[in-house]
Amino acid sequence: MKNEQYNIPDRNSALKLLESVNLAPSIIQHSIQVANKALEIADKLKNIRIDRKLIEIGGLLHDIGRSKSHGFDHGLIGASILKMEGISPKIFRICETHILGGIDKDEAKELGLPKKNYLPYTIEEKIICLADKYIKGINKVSINERFDHWFSKYGESDILNRAKKRIIEIQKEIEEILN
Ligand SMILES: [Fe+2]
């Protein structure tokens, strides 16, 4: 019997799934870059246990919801696509928590999402959320460049400022593991 808790597809099946939902090729390329960046971060963290497969496949699937929406709801939509596919909650939680620096309950309400926490808690969730901020499209950027782009596009909103703070916290936490 298939145990959903551990149903993490292999790389080829994950890429096929992205194609089957008609995710734009540019977003598939972005997802491959995010998975690579996330693995690069994970491989430096030798002192803690990290599920490398979860990092790779979570990175590939984190934006699957962008096949339906490019809004803040794409994390949640991605999670529901993966739920329907019977894929592990560990993966769909990566979808839910990769947006900005994660979204808390009050921000969720403000953004029109169902009111719950979408904050990254596990090391795998944090690494994907961070790796995603380092890749804009398929280009590598710094956290400052990433947020400056958002600030100029959407204005320096409280939500964006809090997101930047959270990402810097995740960055610090990971650097501390490295030392
Ligand atoms: Fe995304």
Side-chain angles (χ1 to χ4, degrees), residues 2 60 65-66 100 121 160:
K2 201 160 69 176
L60 292 176
R66 291 183 71 185
L100 299 172
Y121 288 123
L160 280 179

Coordinates of all heavy atoms in Angstrom, one line a residue, residues 2 60 65-66 100 121 160:
K2 N 0.5 2.2 -0.8 CA 1.3 3.5 -0.9 C 1.1 4.3 0.4 O 0.0 4.5 0.9 CB 0.7 4.3 -2.1 CG 1.7 5.3 -2.6 CD 1.4 5.7 -4.0 CE 0.2 6.5 -4.1 NZ -0.1 7.0 -5.5
L60 N 12.1 21.2 -7.0 CA 11.6 21.0 -8.3 C 10.1 21.3 -8.3 O 9.5 21.9 -9.3 CB 11.8 19.6 -8.9 CG 13.2 19.2 -9.2 CD1 13.3 17.8 -9.6 CD2 13.8 20.1 -10.3
G65 N 2.2 25.3 -8.4 CA 1.0 26.1 -8.4 C 1.0 27.2 -9.3 O -0.1 27.8 -9.7
R66 N 2.2 27.6 -9.9 CA 2.2 28.7 -10.9 C 1.6 28.2 -12.2 O 1.5 29.1 -13.1 CB 3.6 29.3 -11.0 CG 3.9 30.0 -9.7 CD 5.3 30.7 -9.7 NE 5.3 31.8 -10.7 CZ 6.4 32.5 -11.0 NH1 7.5 32.2 -10.4 NH2 6.3 33.6 -11.8
L100 N 7.6 34.5 -0.1 CA 8.3 35.5 0.6 C 9.2 34.9 1.6 O 10.1 34.1 1.2 CB 7.2 36.4 1.4 CG 6.2 37.1 0.4 CD1 5.1 37.8 1.2 CD2 6.9 38.2 -0.4
Y121 N 9.3 25.8 8.9 CA 9.8 25.3 10.2 C 10.9 24.3 10.0 O 11.9 24.4 10.8 CB 8.6 24.7 11.0 CG 7.6 25.7 11.5 CD1 6.3 25.6 11.2 CD2 8.0 26.8 12.3 CE1 5.3 26.5 11.6 CE2 7.1 27.7 12.7 CZ 5.8 27.6 12.4 OH 4.9 28.5 12.9
L160 N 6.5 43.0 2.9 CA 7.8 42.8 2.3 C 9.0 43.0 3.2 O 9.9 42.3 3.2 CB 7.9 43.7 1.0 CG 7.2 43.2 -0.2 CD1 7.4 44.2 -1.4 CD2 7.7 41.8 -0.7

